[in-house]
Amino acid sequence: MTAQPTIKSIVAAAPAPLHVVIIGGGIGGLTLAQGLKKSGVSVAVYERDRTRTDRLQGYRVHINPTGSLALHECLPASLFDVFVRTCGKPSQGIRFVTERMKMLLSLDELNAPKRLGGDGAAQHRSVSRITLRQVLLSGLDVQFGKAFVRYVELPAGSIRARFEDGTTAEGDVLVAADGGGSRVRRQYLPHAERIDTGVVGIAGKVFLDDDSREHIAPELRNGMTLVSGKGGYSLFVALQETDGVAMNGIGGNDQSAAAGAHFDNARSYLMWAFGARRKKLGLDGRDTERMSGEELRHAALNAMALRSWDERFRTLVRLADPATINAIAMRTAVPVAPWRTQRITLLGDAIHSMTPYRGIGANVALKDAVGLCRALTAADRGERPVIDAIQAYEADMVDYGFRAVRTSLHAMNQAVMESSVQSALSRAVLRIINHVPTFKRAMSNRMGEE
């Protein structure tokens, strides 16, 4: 006669629920936290910023269909709806032009249903970073002012994180979502390097009102523009056209603190980013993070003047609010070999930091978040051991993550190439694509799927 399991034996065999500690409250870490909470997994986020609006991350971010689907899966329906309503209006496409505003290639609007498999969530979207972060913070247990110092692996298998203020937090899994300068990565994978490419981007915003719209060229107000200038200079221009929908308290009650231009998430604007190697911008030896907006504007305008850039581009730089102009040093991760899986893992820039030249960094972090959410949810439900679940996530993430690092670095090198021969060849290829419908359609479809 087979012995029947008792309630006591069933309870003893059931896996203990997981508690996940996430270090870092950026896009990837917060999306993971939202997904775990939605799945019923215990989670807490520890963020070094003192408040929700400490970081000056007010520029537009492009969310591609992969990123949109990840947000759709991880966010509760009501919050995903808020995300959609606070996105900018759909882009009218992408234009590739020269520094003299000569057309090289024009691609139409990318959200065609036939390209995106008919899934309403799978869309190209544009959103202000600060707005997206406010959406992702909503309803989460986020501890601010928690600068991570180091972790300790405890005998029972859990992980204890220690913070600069002397406090600690324990969890069954520790997730590094603390960005390119990740302190968790430095301890866990000290050989995983992140290097400076020597390229700097100067970026700013032009808020759109009746006066500024009158001075901005119409061709820069109806989509994205990519400029590959001769001599190793590049420019990216993108529209963030909103309906004036602010967050109205979503994400906390301290949004009134976000009154500065970096944090303005209700007005429409054009953002631009001008890139080149430090020396070509006259910034060798300068601490660009300490330079004023006016100094950085002057550096960009000087470089444009030396290369006879079209006045329409220079006007855009002149119109930017100086409070929104800053410089970004382009850094990239160096691929690492697979490591022994533990109850510590990483996502986003903490492991595969990439240049912004393909505009996919946030989307890769979102892909990480949904993949890791599925893995940890399966472990929490006892469907597979936690180490096996994390190992499967890491194997996939390392493959697509570092592939994105390579393609982003290649795109940057193409954009700032200094060889006149290579530049001429690149322009010729774009012109050919623009005049051959089959090639143009193939490129448009590829970009629409990314």
Side-chain angles (χ1 to χ4, degrees), residues 38-347:
K38 183 178 178 181
S39 298
V41 181
S42 176
V43 60
V45 180
Y46 296 84
E47 167 58 50
R48 66 179 178 268
D49 290 350
R50 294 168 300 162
T51 70
R52 296 172 184 266
T53 56
D54 263 10
R55 252 182 295 175
L56 301 183
Q57 290 191 324
Y59 295 117
R60 169 194 183 276
V61 62
H62 171 235
I63 304 297
N64 66 18
T66 296
S68 290
L69 286 172
L71 288 167
H72 184 260
E73 181 171 333
C74 289
L75 296 179
S78 60
L79 207 52
F80 184 77
D81 181 61
V82 173
F83 159 68
V84 171
R85 286 189 291 109
T86 54
C87 285
K89 295 178 182 178
S91 171
Q92 296 303 305
I94 303 175
R95 300 166 65 252
F96 297 79
V97 301
T98 72
E99 74 277 10
R100 306 289 177 84
M101 199 72 91
K102 301 296 184 183
M103 179 65 70
L104 296 172
L105 170 64
S106 177
L107 299 177
D108 296 332
E109 192 267 329
L110 301 176
N111 275 330
K114 64 181 179 181
R115 294 184 190 141
L116 303 176
D119 193 320
Q123 298 287 321
H124 287 275
R125 309 179 195 273
S126 68
V127 66
S128 166
R129 260 185 200 275
I130 188 64
T131 302
L132 177 57
R133 193 171 187 230
Q134 289 173 32
V135 171
L136 294 175
L137 281 166
S138 183
L140 291 179
D141 175 14
V142 179
Q143 304 295 313
F144 288 93
K146 299 295 181 182
F148 174 84
V149 176
R150 63 180 296 104
Y151 65 81
V152 176
E153 298 178 73
L154 302 177
S158 58
I159 312 294
R160 177 182 294 152
R162 184 173 297 279
F163 305 100
E164 285 182 358
D165 63 3
T167 60
T168 61
E170 289 185 22
D172 302 291
V173 176
L174 180 73
V175 179
D178 50 342
S182 173
R183 291 183 176 182
V184 180
R185 184 190 70 241
R186 289 180 203 163
Q187 181 181 352
Y188 184 47
L189 301 174
H191 60 288
E193 295 183 271
R194 180 172 175 252
I195 60 172
D196 191 329
T197 65
V199 174
V200 172
I202 299 174
K205 282 183 184 179
V206 180
F207 290 107
L208 298 178
D209 53 31
D210 290 342
D211 183 56
S212 63
R213 288 178 192 272
E214 187 178 328
H215 290 88
I216 297 171
E219 51 267 69
L220 297 177
R221 301 200 310 258
N222 59 5
M224 291 180 282
T225 302
L226 292 168
V227 187
S228 184
K230 290 182 179 178
Y233 299 90
S234 67
L235 180 71
F236 172 68
V237 182
L239 174 68
Q240 180 69 7
E241 187 83 63
T242 72
D243 291 318
V245 179
M247 288 303 298
N248 296 323
I250 291 291
N253 297 319
D254 59 355
Q255 301 310 320
S256 60
H262 267 291
F263 295 118
D264 191 326
N265 62 353
R267 286 190 289 170
S268 299
Y269 61 85
L270 275 180
M271 70 152 288
W272 54 264
F274 184 67
R277 300 199 178 275
R278 280 180 177 273
K279 186 175 181 180
K280 299 187 79 66
L281 291 171
L283 299 177
D284 259 1
R286 302 288 303 274
D287 183 352
T288 53
E289 292 185 3
R290 293 182 178 273
M291 291 177 67
S292 70
E294 288 297 352
E295 289 176 303
L296 292 169
R297 188 206 310 274
H298 184 69
L301 287 173
N302 267 358
M304 286 182 165
L306 285 171
R307 289 288 173 170
S308 301
W309 277 55
D310 191 284
E311 183 62 26
R312 287 169 285 186
F313 294 128
R314 288 190 258 179
T315 296
L316 198 62
V317 175
R318 292 191 191 99
L319 288 172
D321 185 324
T324 69
I325 302 176
N326 68 0
I328 306 162
M330 304 299 170
R331 297 184 174 90
T332 187
V334 177
V336 293
W339 54 88
R340 183 175 67 86
T341 300
Q342 300 180 48
R343 287 176 175 250
I344 303 147
T345 192
L346 315 93
L347 65 74

Side-chain angles (χ1 to χ4, degrees), residues 5-17:
T6 65
I7 293 177
K8 184 176 180 180
S9 67
I10 292 173
V11 171

Side-chain angles (χ1 to χ4, degrees), residues 395-406:
D396 196 28
M397 177 269 290
V398 166
D399 178 55
Y400 69 71
F402 283 106
R403 186 165 62 247
V405 169
R406 289 191 296 272

